[in-house]
Amino acid sequence: MKKLCVVFGGRSPEHDISLKSVTSVLNNLDKSKYEITTLGITKSGAWYIYTGDYAKIIDSSWEKDTANLKKAVISPDAEDKCIIVFENETTVSKLYPDVIFPVLHGEYGEDGTIQGLFELSDIKYVGMGVLSSANGMDKIYSKLVFKDAGIPQADWVVYRNGDDIDEKISEIENKLGYPCFVKPACTGSSVGVGKAHAREELRSAIENAAKFDRKVLIEENIDGHEVETAVLGNFDAEAATVGEIMPTVEFYDFDAKYNDNSTQLQIPAELPAETTEQIRKYAVTAFKALDGQGLSRVDFFVKYSDGSVILNEINTLPGFTDISMYPKLWGAVGLGYGELLDKLIELAEKRVK
């Protein structure tokens, strides 16, 4: 039986989304194939082996289940390749996972930091490597990578802490106009994202986004269908079908993604066949441009005006909740949730540095 360590939680603003994702992952893993260890990270950054009921994870009550908690760390010792568990103040034990499955979103989980620890430990893991994760997480640097790869994108302006906000607003108005989108460079799940229709709204959105990141990305508004596809593989990566998001709010924000059941997903999206194929092709190109391995969800716009395809962003550890697009897209082409998890673990074992 394969020894699998599933890591969840984390210090990110997306901590609670990780709890939702990992609950779905744990419920769908084949228990006859895997000996599962769950390693939880609290919002404050404490690490614990958790041996209790999976149902307690989603509402954070696992942290209070002290009878089933033991402090633990992943050792960076590549000769040992282990998790060190603190049984008590004087005694430790060791666990030896074959594969680590990080079900983490955002900062300290999706940005290359924890991937660096996995590399030091020399334990195989699901998902992209250090540089791929870091560039994928940073919306500004990923735009530079995708520009070099020749993929069409929305135009943009960067605001950094210390910039003159009035000068930057003037630049944004001249280059992008209104409405425009304001995003922290390195958050996901639409955390800190705003849409500005006028100068004061723009100023407020930049100030809010700057609470989450010292770099803020401001993008032109693209009037079009919001569509996504899912990429799976290592160097032989392929894209699933394309799905369309149809939120009932002005844009697909945090609540629309995770709390508003009125948002509809159309899978497959009702697009011309050639448009669907172009999206899938661009998605694999973006994945390979980041030197990707494992998985990514890649988001696009299809303009209402002319049907052209515009890359929005890439998500290297996408949501895995019951309503998340990534597993739904693969399910639509015949790869069920449990089979998808098996494939990701298999890809992790085959990953190449």
Side-chain angles (χ1 to χ4, degrees):
M1 186 177 289
K2 203 162 293 181
K3 295 178 180 178
L4 181 69
C5 175
V6 180
V7 184
F8 67 91
R11 292 166 56 195
S12 164
E14 298 170 73
H15 176 98
D16 292 346
I17 306 307
S18 170
L19 303 187
K20 292 182 179 182
S21 288
V22 79
T23 298
S24 295
V25 168
L26 291 168
N27 287 337
N28 283 278
L29 282 167
D30 187 339
K31 310 307 185 293
S32 69
K33 293 181 179 178
Y34 307 108
E35 180 182 326
I36 302 169
T37 297
T38 47
L39 179 55
I41 306 171
T42 68
K43 285 183 178 180
S44 62
W47 292 44
Y48 295 97
I49 292 293
Y50 175 60
T51 55
D53 188 347
Y54 293 159
K56 292 185 177 181
I57 292 175
I58 198 164
D59 65 356
S60 295
S61 58
W62 71 276
E63 295 182 26
K64 300 175 183 177
D65 188 8
T66 54
N68 289 300
L69 294 179
K70 291 179 181 178
K71 289 281 287 182
V73 293
I74 296 173
S75 171
D77 187 333
E79 288 190 353
D80 221 3
K81 298 180 176 63
C82 74
I83 299 169
I84 299 173
V85 182
F86 298 90
E87 300 291 343
N88 52 50
E89 291 184 0
T90 59
T91 306
V92 300
S93 62
K94 295 180 179 181
L95 300 173
Y96 295 90
D98 298 308
V99 174
I100 295 173
F101 196 143
V103 188
L104 300 164
H105 305 309
E107 194 176 16
Y108 305 119
E110 195 175 350
D111 59 0
T113 51
I114 202 166
Q115 287 77 13
L117 176 58
F118 301 155
E119 293 284 354
L120 288 171
S121 72
D122 201 27
I123 303 172
K124 299 289 188 179
Y125 59 96
V126 170
M128 287 203 181
V130 176
L131 184 60
S132 305
S133 297
N135 281 331
M137 186 69 194
D138 191 311
K139 297 178 181 67
I140 295 166
Y141 281 93
S142 62
K143 272 189 167 289
L144 298 175
V145 172
F146 300 147
K147 180 181 180 181
D148 187 66
I151 306 172
Q153 303 175 82
D155 204 357
W156 74 93
V157 171
V158 177
Y159 169 84
R160 292 178 171 84
N161 283 357
D163 286 350
D164 185 304
I165 193 167
D166 291 310
E167 289 183 4
K168 194 60 65 170
I169 286 173
S170 294
E171 180 185 351
I172 293 163
E173 289 176 332
N174 291 330
K175 186 175 182 181
L176 308 180
Y178 296 109
C180 57
F181 281 92
V182 181
K183 305 175 180 180
C186 294
T187 65
S189 298
S190 296
V191 172
V193 174
K195 187 175 183 180
H197 302 80
R199 173 167 285 216
E200 287 310 310
E201 200 173 14
L202 176 58
R203 181 188 302 274
S204 177
I206 291 172
E207 289 172 348
N208 180 60
K211 296 175 184 176
F212 297 93
D213 200 306
R214 62 185 177 82
K215 302 187 307 246
V216 177
L217 176 71
I218 302 92
E219 292 180 303
E220 68 170 319
N221 179 63
I222 301 295
D223 192 20
H225 302 274
E226 294 184 55
V227 299
E228 301 179 346
T229 189
V231 178
L232 179 67
N234 289 340
F235 304 115
D236 56 348
E238 59 179 329
T241 189
V242 175
E244 181 173 1
I245 300 161
M246 293 175 284
T248 55
V249 293
E250 186 173 3
F251 73 96
Y252 196 41
D253 61 5
F254 183 92
D255 282 336
K257 287 181 177 179
Y258 298 107
N259 299 323
D260 183 359
N261 292 329
S262 66
T263 296
Q264 296 182 4
L265 306 179
Q266 177 69 46
I267 303 174
E270 295 181 355
L271 296 170
E274 60 270 22
T275 303
T276 294
E277 287 310 303
Q278 183 65 77
I279 292 165
R280 295 176 69 237
K281 180 180 178 181
Y282 278 149
V284 172
T285 300
F287 185 81
K288 291 184 175 181
L290 285 179
D291 194 28
Q293 295 189 65
L295 74 161
S296 284
R297 194 193 74 235
V298 193
D299 304 346
F300 295 86
F301 297 106
V302 178
K303 283 188 174 181
Y304 293 132
S305 59
D306 60 7
S308 60
V309 176
I310 304 293
L311 175 62
N312 182 15
E313 62 185 37
I314 193 167
N315 296 269
T316 60
L317 278 174
F320 261 88
T321 70
D322 291 335
I323 62 170
S324 293
M325 189 68 108
Y326 188 87
K328 282 184 173 292
L329 287 167
W330 282 111
V333 295
L335 188 63
Y337 198 127
E339 295 172 295
L340 176 60
L341 297 177
D342 290 342
K343 180 65 174 177
L344 288 168
I345 293 163
E346 177 187 330
L347 289 168
E349 293 180 299
K350 295 178 178 178
R351 65 177 294 115
V352 178
K353 292 185 179 180

